[in-house]
């Protein structure tokens, strides 16, 4: 099976390229300053923006092929798989990468808004194409974020960085709407795209209130597949089981609720758990700490 690297936090990505940690929740890389790097296929637990300035690279996004062309932008969100399988070869990348953990947006206007941006969708089969002006502006934004992280301190840092990210999102949205004017009609045969959309709509429609937590059997049935076949395909594509994928999706939502002041019990019932203890067990399994320990740690940081 191809190796899939887990990017649970920003440093999991930056350290792979030998870049010094800039902040626990956000990091910027300038690929032009690096030498050739090995390919990698990544399972993201963070948001990522990848600005490519020169040449073309063939990548994987979900289970589909993806063209990373000159002057283009790729956007990934947590629980997505993308990159190029490590086949032992190297590549000289150009441009920039920005990665940030969802926790960075806690308490900001972007926290809920970010899920509405269509360019994070698995349904896309090509990067966002930028004109020269947009490339220069986005490069300037990424340079500014890196400068803030490396040379500025203080309580205002988060607000400034999030403001830059908001500006970046708006430029990406403009490119997305230009490239996909009928974005609401986007469809894909990619099973991971359908799986992710199914889970998102499950909670959007409030199905957890009457059905409880989404299950592998439910998802497989909605996709007209047997549970065994569905599980095998997800395992092959992500390196994790379908059950693990569902659990990580649920815990992402749990973290957001907890960090916005919900109690463990309130969070559990909103997500479809029968008892708060069940959320505690899943949280410890995925995060390595209980919900209360997780919140205390973030507050301490």
């Amino acid at each position: 099976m191809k190796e899939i690297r887990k990017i649970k936090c920003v440093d999991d990505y930056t350290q792979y390229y030998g870049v010094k940690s800039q902040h626990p929740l956000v990091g910027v890389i300038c690929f032009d300053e690096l030498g050739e790097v090995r390919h990698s296929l990544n399972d993201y637990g963070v948001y990522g923006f990848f600005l490519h300035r020169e040449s073309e690279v063939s990548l994987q996004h979900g289970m589909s092929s993806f063209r990373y062309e000159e002057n283009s932008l790729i956007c990934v969100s947590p629980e997505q798989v993308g990159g190029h399988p490590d086949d032992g070869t190297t590549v000289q990348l150009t441009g920039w990468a920005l990665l940030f953990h969802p926790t960075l947006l806690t308490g900001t206007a972007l926290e809920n808004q970010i899920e509405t941006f269509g360019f994070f969708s698995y349904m896309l089969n090509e990067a966002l194409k930028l004109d020269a002006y947009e490339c220069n502006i986005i490069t300037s934004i990424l340079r500014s974020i890196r400068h803030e992280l490396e040379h500025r301190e203080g309580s205002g840092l988060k607000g400034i960085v999030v403001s830059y990210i908001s500006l970046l999102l708006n430029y990406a949205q403009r490119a997305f709407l230009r490239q996909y004017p009928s974005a609401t009609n986007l469809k894909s045969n990619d099973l991971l795209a359908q799986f992710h959309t199914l889970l998102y709509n499950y909670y959007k429609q409030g199905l957890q209130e009457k059905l409880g937590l989404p299950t592998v059997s439910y998802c497989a049935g909605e996709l007209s597949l047997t549970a065994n076949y569905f599980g095998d395909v997800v395992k092959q594509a992500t390196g994790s089981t379908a059950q693990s994928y569902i659990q990580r999706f649920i815990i992402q939502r749990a973290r957001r609720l907890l960090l916005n002041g919900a109690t463990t019990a309130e969070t559990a019932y909103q997500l479809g758990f029968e008892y708060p203890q069940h959320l505690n067990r899943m949280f410890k399994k995925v995060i390595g700490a209980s919900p209360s320990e997780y919140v205390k740690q973030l507050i301490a940081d």
Side-chain angles (χ1 to χ4, degrees):
M1 179 183 293
K2 57 195 173 188
E3 180 181 355
I4 300 176
R5 262 189 326 121
K6 303 292 185 182
I7 309 298
K8 296 181 179 180
C9 63
V10 172
D11 283 350
D12 287 341
Y13 190 88
T14 57
Q15 290 176 5
Y16 179 78
Y17 294 109
V19 176
K20 183 180 178 181
S21 176
Q22 300 157 334
H23 188 280
L25 300 179
V26 58
V28 178
I29 294 176
C30 178
F31 288 116
D32 300 85
E33 298 171 357
L34 307 179
E36 290 195 348
V37 297
R38 287 178 69 105
H39 289 293
S40 66
L41 184 60
N42 306 314
D43 181 358
Y44 291 97
V46 298
Y47 288 97
F49 290 86
F50 304 90
L51 175 65
H52 196 51
R53 296 303 300 258
E54 299 176 9
S55 71
E56 296 185 5
V57 181
S58 179
L59 299 176
Q60 177 181 326
H61 188 225
M63 297 174 64
S64 303
S65 59
F66 198 93
R67 294 301 303 172
Y68 195 16
E69 301 175 346
E70 295 181 42
N71 297 333
S72 63
L73 184 70
I74 287 180
C75 313
V76 300
S77 62
E79 312 315 324
Q80 291 188 347
V81 175
H84 189 295
D86 184 358
D87 55 7
T89 62
T90 59
V91 62
Q92 178 63 62
L93 297 175
T94 61
W96 295 76
L98 164 70
L99 295 101
F100 62 92
H101 196 276
T103 303
L104 180 71
L105 305 183
T106 300
T108 70
L110 280 182
E111 183 179 15
N112 294 316
Q113 183 187 11
I114 197 166
E115 287 192 351
T116 67
F117 290 105
F119 48 75
F120 286 119
S121 175
Y122 262 145
M123 304 295 181
L124 278 61
N125 58 10
E126 59 183 359
L128 299 180
K129 298 172 184 175
L130 308 174
D131 59 32
Y133 171 79
E134 290 168 334
C135 274
N136 289 335
I137 287 292
I138 291 176
T139 297
S140 177
I141 291 171
L142 298 178
R143 286 185 186 278
S144 297
I145 293 175
R146 185 170 70 165
H147 181 82
E148 289 289 336
L149 295 176
E150 293 181 345
H151 302 291
R152 304 286 180 173
E153 297 180 358
S155 58
L157 178 63
K158 174 182 173 179
I160 292 171
V161 170
V162 171
S163 294
Y164 276 125
I165 291 174
S166 179
L167 182 59
L168 173 56
L169 287 166
N170 284 320
Y171 274 105
Q173 181 71 353
R174 183 169 72 178
F176 169 69
L177 294 176
R178 181 177 65 233
Q179 194 166 331
Y180 297 93
S182 300
T184 55
N185 298 322
L186 280 174
K187 294 183 179 180
S188 175
N189 292 322
D190 187 322
L191 183 63
L192 283 186
Q194 296 174 17
F195 185 20
H196 192 84
T197 300
L198 181 63
L199 291 173
Y200 177 79
N201 288 335
Y202 189 92
Y203 281 99
K204 183 178 181 181
Q205 296 166 10
L207 296 181
Q208 78 278 11
E209 295 176 6
K210 57 181 179 180
L211 300 179
L213 299 177
T215 64
V216 173
S217 295
Y218 170 85
C219 294
E222 290 295 303
L223 297 172
S224 301
L225 300 170
T226 66
N228 287 339
Y229 176 75
F230 174 63
D232 288 344
V233 174
V234 173
K235 177 74 172 178
Q236 179 65 31
T238 68
S240 301
T241 65
Q243 181 64 24
S244 176
Y245 191 98
I246 291 173
Q247 289 177 345
R248 287 186 294 152
F249 184 92
I250 291 170
I251 294 305
Q252 274 294 28
R253 304 184 78 88
R255 287 197 288 200
R256 183 180 304 146
L257 292 169
L258 290 164
L259 292 174
N260 277 288
T263 65
T264 300
E266 290 169 341
T267 300
Y269 294 134
Q270 285 191 51
L271 293 175
F273 287 89
E274 188 173 1
Y275 301 107
Q277 304 94 290
H278 296 170
L279 170 60
N280 267 292
R281 284 200 291 268
M282 186 185 294
F283 210 94
K284 285 184 178 180
K285 177 181 177 182
V286 176
I287 301 297
S290 69
S292 59
E293 291 170 342
Y294 172 75
V295 172
K296 287 179 181 178
Q297 180 60 46
L298 286 177
I299 292 176
D301 292 340

